[in-house]
Amino acid sequence: LIEETAGYTAINEAIGFALASESCGLTDELLCQLACQVLRNSSPASLIRGWRFMIIALRLLEPSRSLVLALSKYFQRQHAESSIGLNQRHIELALRECNILLTGAIKWKQSAKELI
């Protein structure tokens, strides 16, 4: 229970940071930093947190179209190179969020459990 609570606290802090970055015009920078975290991370637990934060940020923020296109290509490459498992599931969710942003489809609200 303590680990689960700590995870939700970290996610709440990340959501607050994401929303603050949007008001400061730093949305693309935040997403680039998250992409670096999932690119250069050898810790499985930290890698999963990075993907979770990426998915949340994509759901909450409106990055530039050029960044979404670049992230989509990056996620596709990561998906092709990833082994089947939790990491691949997170990559698929990030790809889905990019597709939603690129097509202008309606974002469906999901529960916190679905986010993580």
Side-chain angles (χ1 to χ4, degrees):
L1 182 62
I2 292 173
E3 282 183 22
E4 190 171 313
T5 303
Y8 285 114
T9 299
I11 289 171
N12 288 336
E13 289 174 3
I15 290 170
F17 183 74
L19 294 174
S21 73
E22 187 172 45
S23 67
C24 296
L26 297 174
T27 298
D28 284 3
E29 179 63 26
L30 172 68
L31 290 166
C32 287
Q33 293 300 322
L34 287 170
C36 286
Q37 168 145 354
V38 297
L39 174 66
R40 300 181 186 129
N41 200 327
S42 60
S43 165
S46 183
L47 183 63
I48 289 171
R49 280 193 302 273
W51 280 111
R52 288 176 179 173
F53 289 147
M54 176 68 77
I55 293 161
I56 290 168
L58 287 169
R59 287 184 182 172
L60 292 175
L61 305 174
E62 294 184 32
S64 67
R65 183 171 179 81
S66 60
L67 181 64
V68 175
L69 287 168
L71 287 173
S72 183
K73 288 178 184 176
Y74 168 71
F75 296 153
Q76 288 170 4
R77 191 171 60 248
Q78 289 293 311
H79 188 267
E81 296 171 1
S82 174
S83 61
I84 294 175
L86 190 57
N87 191 41
Q88 195 168 39
R89 179 179 160 268
H90 285 93
I91 297 169
E92 289 167 358
L93 290 171
L95 270 169
R96 185 181 71 171
E97 293 305 318
C98 285
N99 289 334
I100 288 170
L101 288 167
L102 291 171
T103 62
I106 296 172
K107 288 187 178 183
W108 298 100
K109 296 206 179 261
Q110 297 184 345
S111 71
K113 290 253 185 210
E114 289 175 297
L115 286 173
I116 58 171

